[in-house]
Amino acid sequence: MTKSLNAIAQKLMSPGQGILAADESEGTIAKRFAKINLPNSLDLRRDYREMLFRSTEAMTKYISGVILTEETLEQSAADGTTFRAILADADCIPGIKVDRGAFPMPGDSGEKITEGLDGLRQRLVRYAELGAGFAKWRAVITINDVAPTRNNIRANAHALARYAILCQEAGIVPIVEPEVVGDGDPGNHSLERSAQVTGEVLENVFKELRLAGVDLSGMLLKPNMVLPGVNSRDRPGVEEVARRTVDVLKQHVPAAVPGIAFLSGGQTDEEATAHLSAMNQIAYKPWPLTFSYGRALQNVALRTWAGRRENFPAAQAAFTHRAHMNSLAALGEWSNEADRAAA
Ligand code: 5MM
């Protein structure tokens, strides 16, 4: 069991490859579609994901796994081919988002707690039967004048650990995603504060993972990068973000973890790519670093598709370009010039 979990994790971290996060919940995909004036219909969700998964070059060369929703895991393309078959043809591992979303934490700290543990053991059996090789659970950590509270960090870390051990029991690799979100106000969410909170969160997460008996060699970590909040006056350069992020990870993430796949967290496409590449240029890291981006892989492709199947080729070209650039970043070989030239 341990060996196969580690083998799946290693395959997801294949050099020059990363993970496509296509697990937008109904509410989130509705927001993405609304920005391009599209309704959130079943057919449009299917078409959009079909466009992505049938981007053959991107999926075969640059994407090792895709995080799906429950709907997509069981869905088929317009011609009746299951998405699972399309991903299998591209040698991509299907993954599944298993949390039920982040809900307001009791109290008035403005924090969230992720739900979805009830019945998870049974759901995981079904996801494994459907071929899911890995899963994802996202905890949301808020920074404001009173948050994060110790109570919220512990509750989210505990839920992540309970999720992770249940996944491993079902033969599924858990991706553990504690996200320190970046919409704190300027006074509270400096680069320094981001580093301190990210470190504290990771420390608690690994403490709970160990207590739960999670095999660290059979999981992946999906963290935020160390960044100031979107409204902060701090404007660190690419190298500084990379250095601070790797420093925090080195202090809190055990070397036994087979890989780290970052979320993009609202960065521009180029920022997310540049930061990943700069981190991969830093020597002496115990784990490979890659991407598990949602928005930073999909932004341009979504706008180019615009809800029309005749736009598939152009949207697929846009997606393939972004996936290629992030593949170079996963190898530490990306440059702005190469990005513009290839675009
Ligand atoms: C694709 O978005 C994922 C699902 O979010 P919701 O459940 O809120 O709809 C999200 O978990 C995503 O996997 C990560 O946050 C990374 O996505 P970004 O866009 O930050 O790279």
Side-chain angles (χ1 to χ4, degrees):
M1 176 69 79
T2 300
K3 189 159 180 283
S4 67
L5 288 173
N6 181 256
I8 294 169
Q10 301 250 24
K11 185 163 165 49
L12 288 167
M13 296 301 301
S14 299
Q17 294 199 325
I19 297 168
L20 166 65
D23 59 313
E24 296 85 359
S25 56
E26 283 248 2
T28 302
I29 198 83
K31 275 190 233 156
R32 306 267 192 272
F33 283 3
K35 278 194 183 156
I36 51 169
N37 297 316
L38 290 179
N40 178 21
S41 71
L42 183 66
D43 282 358
L44 283 172
R45 290 198 297 276
R46 178 206 61 203
D47 280 2
Y48 178 57
R49 279 144 180 171
E50 179 178 342
M51 179 277 292
L52 292 172
F53 306 160
R54 282 201 154 134
S55 299
T56 309
E57 186 185 344
M59 301 302 285
T60 51
K61 286 189 180 167
Y62 311 128
I63 304 291
S64 55
V66 184
I67 313 173
L68 306 166
T69 62
E70 226 167 53
E71 173 182 286
T72 321
L73 182 65
E74 303 207 47
Q75 204 168 27
S76 298
D79 67 2
T81 314
T82 63
F83 283 147
R84 298 196 301 282
I86 293 172
L87 294 180
D89 274 355
D91 198 22
C92 278
I93 304 176
I96 174 83
K97 185 246 291 296
V98 302
D99 65 68
R100 296 295 199 202
F103 293 86
M105 186 87 177
D108 50 13
S109 63
E111 298 175 292
K112 290 183 171 165
I113 178 72
T114 303
E115 296 186 1
L117 288 169
D118 288 350
L120 180 58
R121 181 177 253 149
Q122 293 73 25
R123 285 198 284 133
L124 285 165
V125 171
R126 168 98 183 118
Y127 301 145
E129 281 166 6
L130 286 167
F134 69 103
K136 194 203 81 175
W137 177 291
R138 173 171 171 256
V140 173
I141 305 293
T142 305
I143 294 182
N144 64 32
D145 51 357
V146 294
T149 60
R150 190 159 161 64
N151 182 39
N152 182 258
I153 291 177
R154 288 174 70 181
N156 270 309
H158 185 252
L160 277 167
R162 285 195 59 201
Y163 139 82
I165 193 69
L166 285 169
C167 285
Q168 291 192 335
E169 180 187 270
I172 289 177
V173 170
I175 294 192
V176 171
E177 181 181 3
E179 177 177 6
V180 178
V181 289
D183 48 8
D185 68 43
N188 294 308
H189 199 153
S190 60
L191 183 71
E192 198 53 48
R193 180 104 171 101
S194 172
Q196 180 252 320
V197 171
T198 302
E200 192 180 341
V201 168
L202 290 173
E203 192 61 33
N204 277 272
V205 166
F206 281 99
K207 186 174 149 203
E208 292 292 341
L209 290 170
R210 284 199 193 89
L211 272 173
V214 172
D215 173 5
L216 299 185
S217 73
M219 62 159 278
L220 293 175
L221 179 70
K222 176 166 174 168
N224 54 283
M225 298 177 195
V226 171
L227 290 163
V230 285
N231 298 319
S232 170
R233 280 182 297 274
D234 279 2
R235 283 284 160 258
V238 170
E239 272 69 34
E240 189 175 4
V241 169
R243 185 177 53 77
R244 295 301 300 261
T245 304
V246 170
D247 281 354
V248 168
L249 293 172
K250 274 187 179 170
Q251 278 177 36
H252 301 281
V253 182
V257 172
I260 296 177
F262 290 94
L263 59 93
S264 59
Q267 298 176 68
T268 66
D269 299 356
E270 290 74 18
E271 280 168 355
T273 308
H275 288 145
L276 177 62
S277 196
M279 284 189 276
N280 274 312
Q281 284 163 9
I282 296 173
Y284 307 119
K285 302 174 300 298
W287 355 253
L289 306 179
T290 192
F291 57 92
S292 174
Y293 296 161
R295 287 163 289 180
L297 277 172
Q298 298 181 47
N299 285 327
V300 182
L302 174 67
R303 287 198 301 271
T304 309
W305 164 66
R308 302 162 80 100
R309 290 187 72 89
E310 60 268 35
N311 292 342
F312 269 25
Q316 287 168 334
F319 172 57
T320 303
H321 173 65
R322 219 52 252 148
H324 182 199
M325 293 302 106
N326 283 302
S327 160
L328 292 175
L331 299 168
E333 292 171 2
W334 175 85
S335 75
N336 215 346
E337 297 70 41
D339 200 325
R340 293 209 182 119

